[in-house]
Amino acid sequence: MSGLRLRLKSAPAGRLDLSCLQPDPLTARTADEVARLPFEDGTLGDLFEITAIADANTLILAGPTSACDGIGDGLASGTLVVEGDVGQYAGRFMKGGRLDIRGSAGDYLGAGMKRGLLTVAGSAGNFVGGLLPGEKFGMAGGVIRVGGDIGDRAGDRMRRGTIVVKGKTGAAAGSRMAGGTIWAEGGFGPGAGPLMRRGTLIGPKAEQMLATFSDCGEHDMVFLRLISRFVAAELGSLAPPPLPVKVRRYAGDMATIGKGELLLTG
Amino acid sequence: MLIKFTGGKVYDPANGIDGQVRDIYVRDGRVVTPSATDTISAEYNLAGKVVMAGGIDPHSHIGGGKMNIARMMLPEDHRHDNVARGDLTRAGCGHAAPSTFVAGYRYAEMGYTAAFEPAMLAVNARQTHAEMGDTPMIDKGAYVLLGSDDYFLRLLTRGADKEEIKDYIAWTMHAAQALAVKVVNPGGISAFKFNQRMLDLDEKNAFYGVTPRDIILTLGRSLQELGVPHPVHVHGCNLGVPGNKETTLATIRAAEGTPIHLTHIQFHSYGTEGDFKFSSGAAEIAELVNQNPNVSIDVGQILFGQTVTASGDSMRQYGNTKSANPKKWVVMDIECDAGCGVVPMKYRDKSFVNALQWAIGLEMFLLVKDPWRIFLTTDHPNGAPFTTYPHLIRLLMDKTFRNEMLRRIHPGAQAATILGSITREYSLNEIAIMTRAGPAKSLGLKDRGHLGPGACADITVYDDNPDREAMFTTPAFVFKNGEMIVRNGRIVHVVAGATHVVRPEYDRKRTEKPLKDYFETYHTMRMENFRMADEEVITAGCGHAPGTCGCLIVQPVGTRK
């Protein structure tokens, strides 16, 4: 089984739903076969220049823009590499495999993700690892790593899994969080953790910390070494430097059950 | 302009035609008998195809506030069934609680040309008619809810004269632009507000002191005397409660020969035997239905998968909230006149209870002998969305398929049902009765559900496919008032569809005098505003021949045949 490279011939005029492009079924076919597959009113070949590559079970998507939605939606296995920006819902409900976005991502990156590894070189929009209206939980597992900043309300109703951000989060990161970890190397934006029930937020600083987070003092926690080791193993060279021996712990959100924590390393 | 439909196998049970090859002629939206001198301006060759009147769904929740709540509550259910705008059709979403437009399109694409909303609360009539007005392609109408509203219960409590009660029923039907009258958990919705969590047939409402038996009998007799064709549409007591078959049997006997229609009877046919204290009461109820020609039923079959239950029965829906899946629900009072409960539900074939519910519905279909008194419904969306009808028809028509499905359900349920031993298979003629002729007759739609001269030319043409599910999913042609609206299961022409009402006679002056005082004292709006005008129902472009109906079709009252 080899891989495929799909290059978008021209930037789409409107929104384009590319959730159907999955490495697993597509790389089992030849480039010609894939080009003949129906897509919207024509075929995939109308939209993409398709060539075979050597990497096994790998799909490279070149030239997408922020108008391309749903890339890697429900990805279960294989590797999907995106050379360009992506729109909303990238890696939504991902169940496994690896999605590497070499550009930036829109809203709802990895919303409802269950397993697998999702990396973004640039920045990402709001609701990273969150959920859509009507759903009960956000991210339930796997690892998301964003190279730049992310938007508001990352990890909304997140249940499990890890989000690592090189830059800063927007407002209200970890809102309604029920579990999991958000590690922001650049710190948290205003009002992190509203209605957070459980889960962990880690960063050097947090702007306008909510009044419902209580200072628990400095702690030396085993968890710090575990999460550092886990992230290093998952992300390799992309992993942040290990956490310090001691962090300042704030418990919250006391407006709910208050079993969540905000760990300040700075 | 005379259109000829040539050589189709016609199933028109109302006129005694059972699969004979007949030609049908249509002029100005009506089936006619042509004279020798007429020239034919269009002809459809239907050789080898099956021709029936357009389908009629007598119990489908397509309007009223509860459906909007269901739509709002389940965005994730819509997300997987987005419907894009077409050249003719509007955008929307589907599955359990489809948007009004998609509901209309999907009914037509399935060969149905009419569907009736069974639970319109008079105070919500405007909303219901607005939603039905936005449901294109099909004819519609609504049954107004009585039986838990304050004024009606007050009349019963003070032992009002039966003429006064009849006047109030007729006034409500006029005010709400209704086709029939439904009662939901008679007196029970009201009793729920007085902290009663159950109300059996002979139990008194704590506040008004009336029993469900009084309410059903009063409504049934009054409607018969008013000449409303459809008998009182009864959603009985104890919906979904194990052991409720006793209540249902008692309700049939309580009618004392008065015509009644028992709706979604599957939900009312449960016994308490077996390890799970849940068993089928279908055989006993079917036997009593067979013995009582005054009783008609619709089934409310459940089919497996995600759906949402929406009912006026806030008492029983409150009981169901613990089974909500996904876990979210709404139970509310509406203006102290009725209630509303919306609870999402996922029926699973590996659950003993759900699997047995499925089997009970099918047992009921197969054990009731007279297809003129049993109608095909899933109580959309409570048992399953109406889009599952073709699958249900196949279950009824194909014993092998049915037994194959039976083998997949919970083994305990397989052992608890007699379904496997029933060999009956419905014929196309019987399907035509229970989905067309029967509902039309029961609702008093004189010119629908059949293809005799004078009938409205709502015609569905199917390919005679041995896979009945495929056959009923994709009709070859559907005609509404003689115009082709669907070809090969796709919309080719959009029409609006009419609203059917029934207007029994009554003394308006005598009725409104005390009512006006009542509204001034207790209600949130004036009596004059409560009443709906015809202009509020009529929408432009109903697709009917000019001058014949506008958009509101008043069905005649008269003694029931």
Side-chain angles (χ1 to χ4, degrees), chain B residues 8 16 20 28 39 91 101 171 189 192 240 266 293 317 320 330 338 344 464 496 500 531 551 559:
Chain B
Q20 285 90 9
D28 298 333
T39 51
F101 290 99
W171 181 86
I189 305 172
F192 182 68
Q266 178 275 125
Q317 285 292 70
N320 286 336
V330 169
D464 194 358
H500 295 261
R531 236 174 23 221
C551 257
T559 330

Side-chain angles (χ1 to χ4, degrees), chain A residues 215-227:
Chain A
D215 190 350
C216 307
E218 286 218 326
H219 288 269
D220 169 10
M221 299 158 86
V222 179
F223 166 74
L224 301 172
R225 292 184 284 284
L226 290 175
I227 190 80

Side-chain angles (χ1 to χ4, degrees), chain B residues 454-483:
Chain B
C456 179
D458 290 353
I459 302 171
T460 305
V461 180
Y462 299 102
D463 294 316
D464 194 358
N465 187 339
D467 176 355
R468 298 307 188 190
E469 184 171 348
M471 168 175 165
F472 282 96
T473 305
T474 317
F477 305 103
V478 181
F479 297 87
K480 184 96 187 69
N481 299 300
E483 279 181 300

Side-chain angles (χ1 to χ4, degrees), chain A residues 92 132-136, chain B residues 75-76 79 326-328:
Chain A
R92 193 167 134 69
L132 262 64
E135 290 163 7
K136 298 206 54 178
Chain B
E76 75 277 27
R79 211 168 282 137
K327 198 169 149 195
K328 46 187 171 182

Side-chain angles (χ1 to χ4, degrees), chain A residues 21-110:
Chain A
L21 300 181
Q22 303 281 346
D24 219 3
L26 289 185
T27 52
R29 301 163 187 249
T30 67
D32 281 350
E33 281 169 4
V34 171
R36 284 196 298 274
L37 290 175
F39 183 78
E40 295 202 340
D41 294 333
T43 61
L44 278 177
D46 297 342
L47 209 64
F48 296 98
E49 203 178 278
I50 302 170
T51 47
I53 55 170
D55 308 282
N57 202 6
T58 299
L59 196 76
I60 299 177
L61 194 58
T65 71
S66 56
C68 298
D69 294 335
I71 292 175
D73 183 336
L75 182 70
S77 61
T79 305
L80 181 57
V81 179
V82 185
E83 296 172 350
D85 292 344
V86 301
Q88 300 177 344
Y89 315 126
R92 193 167 134 69
F93 287 133
M94 225 171 113
K95 291 191 279 286
R98 183 174 175 136
L99 172 59
D100 284 326
I101 297 165
R102 305 262 164 91
S104 290
D107 294 345
Y108 296 104
L109 176 79

Side-chain angles (χ1 to χ4, degrees), chain A residues 175-193:
Chain A
S175 61
R176 309 188 288 177
M177 201 164 160
T181 306
I182 303 179
W183 182 348
E185 287 183 74
F188 291 97

Side-chain angles (χ1 to χ4, degrees), chain B residues 484-508:
Chain B
M484 193 198 289
I485 55 169
V486 169
R487 185 181 199 128
N488 294 328
R490 306 289 301 170
I491 305 273
V492 292
H493 178 60
V494 173
V495 293
T499 300
H500 295 261
V501 297
V502 164
R503 291 179 175 167
E505 278 178 36
Y506 73 110
D507 189 334
R508 178 161 168 188

Side-chain angles (χ1 to χ4, degrees), chain A residues 75-249:
Chain A
L75 182 70
S77 61
T79 305
L80 181 57
V81 179
V82 185
E83 296 172 350
D85 292 344
V86 301
Q88 300 177 344
Y89 315 126
R92 193 167 134 69
F93 287 133
M94 225 171 113
K95 291 191 279 286
R98 183 174 175 136
L99 172 59
D100 284 326
I101 297 165
R102 305 262 164 91
S104 290
D107 294 345
Y108 296 104
L109 176 79
M113 177 172 174
K114 297 206 162 37
R115 270 187 298 279
L117 177 61
L118 201 173
T119 71
V120 179
S123 57
N126 300 323
F127 296 103
V128 173
L131 78 170
L132 262 64
E135 290 163 7
K136 298 206 54 178
F137 288 106
M139 186 169 173
V143 179
I144 298 177
R145 193 266 179 185
V146 180
D149 295 338
I150 60 174
D152 297 344
R153 299 192 58 179
D156 189 24
R157 276 193 189 258
M158 179 172 173
R159 193 160 45 148
R160 275 187 292 275
T162 310
I163 299 174
V164 179
V165 185
K166 178 93 178 157
K168 219 183 118 188
T169 75
S175 61
R176 309 188 288 177
M177 201 164 160
T181 306
I182 303 179
W183 182 348
E185 287 183 74
F188 291 97
L195 297 183
M196 181 174 175
R197 295 170 68 79
R198 284 177 298 272
T200 307
L201 305 177
I202 309 169
K205 56 186 183 291
E207 291 169 21
Q208 296 172 37
M209 199 189 296
L210 294 173
T212 45
F213 274 72
S214 352
D215 190 350
C216 307
E218 286 218 326
H219 288 269
D220 169 10
M221 299 158 86
V222 179
F223 166 74
L224 301 172
R225 292 184 284 284
L226 290 175
I227 190 80
S228 298
R229 214 182 300 157
F230 169 76
V231 168
E234 288 287 318
L235 296 178
S237 62
L238 294 173
L243 290 166
V245 175
K246 279 191 172 179
V247 295
R248 193 161 197 94
R249 183 177 187 268

